[in-house]
Each structure stands twice: as C-alpha cells, then as structure tokens.
Amino acid sequence: MINNVISPEYNEEGRVMRRVRSFVRRQGRLTQRQEDALQNEWAEKGIDFNGEPLDFAAVFNNQNPVVLEIGFGMGASLVTMAAKNPNKNFLGIEVHAPGVGACLASAKEEDVTNLRVMCHDAIEVLDRMIPDESLSMVQLFFPDPWHKAKHNKRRIVQTPFANKIRSKLAVGGIFHMATDWEPYAEHMLEVMNNAEGYQNVSATGDYVPRPETRPETKFEKRGQRLGHGVWDLMFKRTK
C-alpha cells in the first residue's frame, strides 16, 4: 500500500529541475486506530498506485461529480465534506501514512461511503491516473509554503502545476486553494492570474471569503485566535 514516491522541483521559469525522492517510508508511528483502519478499510476505500487511468464511475459505482483533494493531512475536513455532500465523490491524496489511516478511521466511524484515498505523490497520480477533464473541483488546502526565498521554487503552485490541474478539470470546474501564509497567497494569485484558461471567481479579483464547502479546521481556528489570516483562492476553468 505505501510506496516511496517522487516529487519534482521547479526552477524560476517553471521548468522541472530534477526529480528527487522527497518522501520515504519514514512516515512516523501509526496509532492502533490508524493501523487497524489501514488494514481493514484499505480494500474498500484505498486505491493503489498502478499508473493506469481511473474509471471514476467504476470506482464509486455512480456518475456523480468527483472532487480531488491534494494533501488532506489527517483527513478531518475531507471526511466532513464527504459526509455533507453524498451527491459528490471525493478522492484524497496524501503521502503521510498516519494521516491516511486517520482519514480511513474517521470515514468508517462516520459511515462515509463516497470517499476514496491514495497514499502516493500527487504529481504522479495526476500524470498517470487522473483522466483529463474528469474532475469538478481540485482542492489544495494549506500546502507547505516553503517560507525561505531560496526554497520558493519548491512550492507546488507553479505555472506547470496550474496547467496540469486545468487539464484534469472539466470546463467550469474549480481549483480551490487556501493558505495561512500571506506571501504564498500572493504567489498563488500571481501564478493563477497568469495561467491560461482560468477565471478568478473573486468579486474583487483577488481572494474569496471561506466558502461553506471548506470546513474550518481546528488549526485554522487556533490561528485566527492568534490573529493569523487565511486566504482562499478559487479559479474556474474557462476553456
């Protein structure tokens, strides 16, 4: 189930510099709850990486729209979204095995059936397993901001990534990002404003209020009590 995964880095022009093994199986200690969920729930809700395009109608046994979340952490908000939206299908990708286990455990406890998870690098999954124009929404919440300027090139939101997401969205589909690091929000806005085939859905041309589709996390609430901001960006594929 858990494989070593590979993630690219980009230079300032958005070109892939090299492919590095950025995640290995040092995923941390699993709790008994997480381990049990991985053992017992993976067969039903887990999808192994095999490089073959997914047939979402077969995976979910329906024709409902598919929402992809990249990097769902411990999965609390993803499970909440799936539970509140039974008319949508949710696929989550996360490289952290304890987070995958926690998500599966929560989905079992909440009796959520419209959720599937993968434990692999999202770039490879997008390239090899997500069919073009198959998604109604892609969610990227609180990705690593790579605070130091010399590491900014490692941020996942770059022009090649924006183009990749657009190819996987159906026309009219939404790319929803959120971050609690304002310089990264500004970076995301610049990248997306210059990306072809997108329209910013913000009425003010920058950020949107947190939509009801994104549950507020405990981490986010704590940050707000400390005076930290959160910036949501939503861009629609137009062509």
Side-chain angles (χ1 to χ4, degrees):
M1 186 274 291
I2 307 299
N3 299 314
N4 287 352
V5 294
I6 298 173
S7 180
E9 290 185 1
Y10 300 98
N11 63 17
E12 293 179 354
E13 288 74 41
R15 298 181 183 274
V16 175
M17 297 170 58
R18 57 191 174 92
R19 294 186 69 84
V20 296
R21 194 171 296 275
S22 60
F23 300 99
V24 294
R25 193 168 177 164
R26 59 176 189 275
Q27 71 265 19
R29 182 176 297 177
L30 295 164
T31 66
Q32 191 62 54
R33 174 176 177 267
Q34 294 163 358
E35 186 171 354
D36 289 346
L38 287 169
Q39 290 293 328
N40 299 328
E41 302 302 318
W42 186 262
E44 179 182 351
K45 294 186 174 65
I47 299 176
D48 291 307
F49 180 84
N50 61 14
E52 298 295 325
L54 290 167
D55 179 349
F56 286 125
V59 168
F60 292 100
N61 197 31
N62 61 54
Q63 299 287 340
N64 292 340
V66 179
V67 177
L68 171 66
E69 180 162 347
I70 296 172
F72 58 76
M74 302 305 282
S77 63
L78 179 58
V79 171
T80 297
M81 285 184 283
K84 290 184 176 180
N85 296 277
N87 59 334
K88 296 180 181 179
N89 298 321
F90 291 81
L91 172 63
I93 305 174
E94 174 59 56
V95 296
H96 190 53
V100 176
C103 182
L104 288 171
S106 296
K108 174 66 173 179
E109 292 159 4
E110 297 295 327
D111 196 25
V112 169
T113 60
N114 57 329
L115 171 64
R116 302 292 183 270
V117 297
M118 296 187 69
C119 191
H120 200 79
D121 175 53
I123 299 297
E124 287 196 318
V125 174
L126 285 164
D127 283 342
R128 300 178 61 186
M129 294 190 67
I130 305 298
D132 288 350
E133 301 187 345
S134 64
L135 304 173
S136 65
M137 178 175 283
V138 175
Q139 300 175 162
L140 179 70
F141 300 153
F142 307 104
D144 193 329
W146 293 102
H147 302 87
K148 294 182 179 179
K150 66 179 180 179
H151 292 154
N152 286 174
K153 63 180 178 291
R154 299 183 182 180
R155 292 171 172 171
I156 190 171
V157 179
Q158 307 285 355
T159 298
F161 182 74
N163 293 338
K164 192 185 303 290
I165 294 299
R166 182 174 63 87
S167 71
K168 304 305 175 181
L169 286 168
V171 173
I174 298 293
F175 183 20
H176 181 188
M177 296 152 279
T179 180
D180 59 349
W181 182 249
E182 188 172 12
Y184 197 9
E186 294 168 349
H187 169 85
M188 289 175 170
L189 187 61
E190 180 180 4
V191 168
M192 295 305 300
N193 278 339
N194 288 289
E196 183 180 355
Y198 283 106
Q199 176 186 345
N200 192 343
V201 305
S202 167
T204 55
D206 45 20
Y207 310 110
V208 298
R210 180 183 64 83
E212 293 183 0
T213 54
R214 183 175 72 77
E216 195 173 31
T217 66
K218 292 180 181 178
F219 172 82
E220 184 177 353
K221 291 177 181 177
R222 185 185 59 148
Q224 290 177 343
R225 288 196 298 270
L226 296 173
H228 301 167
V230 173
W231 292 264
D232 282 83
L233 301 87
M234 299 183 78
F235 280 77
K236 178 172 66 175
R237 178 180 173 177
T238 58
K239 61 180 180 179

